[in-house]
Amino acid sequence: MRAIAIFPKEKSIKLIEHEAPHITSPTQVKLRMLEVGVCGTDKEICTFRFGAPPPGYNYLVLGHEALGEVVEVGTGVQRLKPGDLVIPTVRRPCSDSNCRACAVARQDFCFTGEYTEYGIKSQHGYMTEFVVDDEQFMHPVPQELRNVAVLTEPLTIAEKALLQVWAMQQRLPWQMPDAPADQPGKGLKAVVLGAGPISLLGSMALIVAGFDTYVYSRSVPPHPKAELVQSIGATYISSKTTSVEDMVKQVGNIDLVYEGLGGSTLPFEVMNHLGRNAIFAFTGVPTFTTSTQATDQLMSRLVGKNQVVFGTVNAGNDAFAAAIRDLHIFTQRWPAAVRSLISQRVSMENAQDALLGKYGGIKTVVTIAE
Ligand SMILES: NC(=O)c1ccc[n+]([C@@H]2O[C@H](COP(=O)([O-])OP(=O)(O)OC[C@H]3O[C@@H](n4cnc5c(N)ncnc54)[C@H](OP(=O)(O)O)[C@@H]3O)[C@@H](O)[C@H]2O)c1
Ligand SMILES: [Zn+2]
Ligand SMILES: [Zn+2]
């Protein structure tokens, strides 16, 4: 069967023939891969700075943002049947029995760093026609999400961040007046940094959670990203035309910053203006060295204003469930905006161009099967 793979030693990306998998244990399911999203991580892997083939292979099949259809199930499979749509989990537990996180299926918090990741680290990914995998790592999605379900995995990044925000803000022994249980952010202001898929999906999740949401990013309106932001009810502010100080004046007390841009210079500048009792969530992975301003002043503000700064990576089962629930809400509230997050769909023959970043837009998806 066909697959898109990188060969790190020879520094090449190829459409290859890869052995077809078969069910070998009762709890496994066989998936026909339908779509795989391309993200910054894939593009980074294609510069050969990281990305590790599984033991015994000289290549790594790419792809981790996947949507598959169950075509066959092992005799012990309980929850899934042929025809079901599923999102597979990316990260898999380490083998260290002392790892408390992996022992309770929270490999997104793995202590050892010895976890594996499909399409990234020591496990072949999903840019291929069929995959066999254990039922426990599958997240079923309703058929009506077929066209956008490939956005679930990138949405889990924001969902995990939000789950942690709620847990951390339990330090505050009051609730926002008039905030309904399903809109705990009502009356609060969130600033999202960046306007890529991680930030845009995060903005949608913040709005659904009730936050008055501002997106602060580089593109200067008129721009499709700014229009998308406005169409979901958030406010777009360009960092090119509005200084951090002026952005803060416009927003007022910032209760939450959700960073999804990657570099650290702008986030640290914004951190200097974090509001009282506020929280700052980092998801970006800087790919280049930027100056940091972890200064004494910043420290004294963090302390004096009871602020929380945290980083978050990957996602657990609770975030996958929240992502599927919210994607449903997004498609009902903003059908056009959600569809427009997928800027183009390309064939496997054109996947290399997508991985090398030759398509613009927000999110490119590789179609494996119709
Ligand atoms: N924590 C995790 O588990 C996890 C998972 C996946 C991804 N990530 C990370 O999340 C980050 C965002 O991912 P993505 O796929 O959404 O990336 P992306 O498509 O590259 O989007 C980055 C956004 O940030 C904006 N930006 C970049 N530099 C800027 C600057 N100096 N000032 C203002 N805006 C700036 C870009 O503006 P333009 O629109 O003008 O280009 C773009 O909108 C990446 O660092 C990625 O590695 C983390
Ligand atoms: Zn990704
Ligand atoms: Zn572990």
Side-chain angles (χ1 to χ4, degrees):
M1 63 178 186
R2 295 179 310 156
I4 306 289
I6 58 150
F7 291 73
K9 284 226 172 81
E10 59 182 70
K11 291 197 179 356
S12 64
I13 312 159
K14 292 184 206 164
L15 178 58
I16 60 162
E17 274 299 315
H18 179 58
E19 68 204 287
H22 301 284
I23 289 183
T24 54
S25 95
T27 55
Q28 285 178 335
V29 295
K30 185 172 180 180
L31 307 181
R32 183 169 78 104
M33 300 318 300
L34 300 176
E35 293 191 321
V36 181
V38 173
C39 80
T41 303
D42 300 301
K43 291 175 190 163
E44 277 287 305
I45 294 173
C46 289
T47 65
F48 310 103
R49 267 178 285 205
F50 67 101
Y57 286 87
N58 63 346
Y59 64 89
L60 169 73
V61 176
L62 288 170
H64 59 276
E65 301 182 358
L67 169 67
E69 180 192 0
V70 176
V71 288
E72 197 185 327
V73 296
T75 51
V77 167
Q78 305 276 342
R79 292 183 301 132
L80 298 172
K81 58 179 188 319
D84 286 351
L85 298 179
V86 292
I87 309 296
T89 314
V90 178
R91 188 180 286 188
R92 304 308 168 85
C94 72
S95 57
D96 187 333
S97 58
N98 292 320
C99 180
R100 278 170 287 154
C102 290
V104 296
R106 287 312 301 258
Q107 55 269 22
D108 55 313
F109 286 112
C110 177
F111 281 93
T112 66
E114 299 301 318
Y115 54 79
T116 60
E117 288 181 328
Y118 271 55
I120 302 171
K121 185 172 179 253
S122 310
Q123 300 264 19
H124 285 312
Y126 301 109
M127 271 191 205
T128 185
E129 292 174 77
F130 294 96
V131 168
V132 165
D133 202 351
D134 203 278
E135 175 187 32
Q136 64 173 304
F137 299 115
M138 298 297 133
H139 301 274
V141 275
Q143 297 285 345
E144 58 260 42
L145 291 183
R146 166 69 177 81
N147 284 332
V148 291
V150 69
L151 299 171
T152 301
E153 196 280 335
L155 174 57
T156 63
I157 307 310
E159 300 289 0
K160 179 181 171 185
L162 266 177
L163 286 163
Q164 289 181 85
V165 165
W166 304 135
M168 286 181 227
Q169 292 304 65
Q170 284 182 14
R171 71 198 174 123
L172 305 177
W174 62 81
Q175 284 190 317
M176 286 304 288
D178 309 325
D182 62 344
Q183 285 192 300
K186 197 148 189 211
L188 299 174
K189 290 182 175 178
V191 171
V192 175
L193 302 181
I198 294 291
S199 296
L200 293 172
L201 287 163
S203 305
M204 290 180 175
L206 289 167
I207 292 168
V208 167
F211 285 93
D212 184 8
T213 304
Y214 297 77
V215 176
Y216 190 50
S217 189
R218 200 164 43 184
S219 300
V220 180
H223 191 280
K225 287 181 179 176
E227 277 159 31
L228 195 153
V229 166
Q230 304 287 8
S231 80
I232 61 172
T235 304
Y236 185 88
I237 305 172
S238 170
S239 61
K240 278 265 193 305
T241 53
T242 308
S243 68
V244 172
E245 283 75 14
D246 287 344
M247 179 273 287
V248 176
K249 269 189 212 140
Q250 188 177 336
V251 176
N253 189 73
I254 302 175
D255 298 291
L256 171 67
V257 174
Y258 175 78
E259 178 274 337
L261 65 73
S264 69
T265 308
L266 187 72
F268 271 82
E269 219 180 299
V270 173
M271 201 190 287
N272 285 314
H273 300 272
L274 201 57
R276 291 190 188 277
N277 307 323
I279 201 157
F280 194 114
F282 275 112
T283 76
V285 182
T287 49
F288 44 87
T289 313
T290 49
S291 70
T292 54
Q293 299 177 28
T295 61
D296 290 354
Q297 275 184 4
L298 174 57
M299 260 180 77
S300 65
R301 252 191 309 276
L302 282 168
V303 173
K305 295 188 176 182
N306 300 297
Q307 297 157 337
V308 176
V309 175
F310 77 103
T312 177
V313 70
N314 207 262
N317 290 341
D318 51 357
F320 274 90
I324 293 165
R325 180 204 64 213
D326 271 357
L327 203 52
H328 219 144
I329 299 174
F330 299 173
T331 54
Q332 281 161 356
R333 268 205 211 175
W334 310 298
V338 177
R339 275 197 307 272
S340 70
L341 291 174
I342 301 174
S343 24
Q344 56 264 313
R345 288 183 153 87
V346 303
S347 67
M348 283 181 94
E349 283 72 19
N350 292 324
Q352 279 135 295
D353 283 347
L355 289 160
L356 294 171
K358 291 192 182 158
Y359 297 97
I362 298 170
K363 166 76 66 192
T364 301
V365 166
V366 178
T367 299
I368 315 260
E370 297 289 343

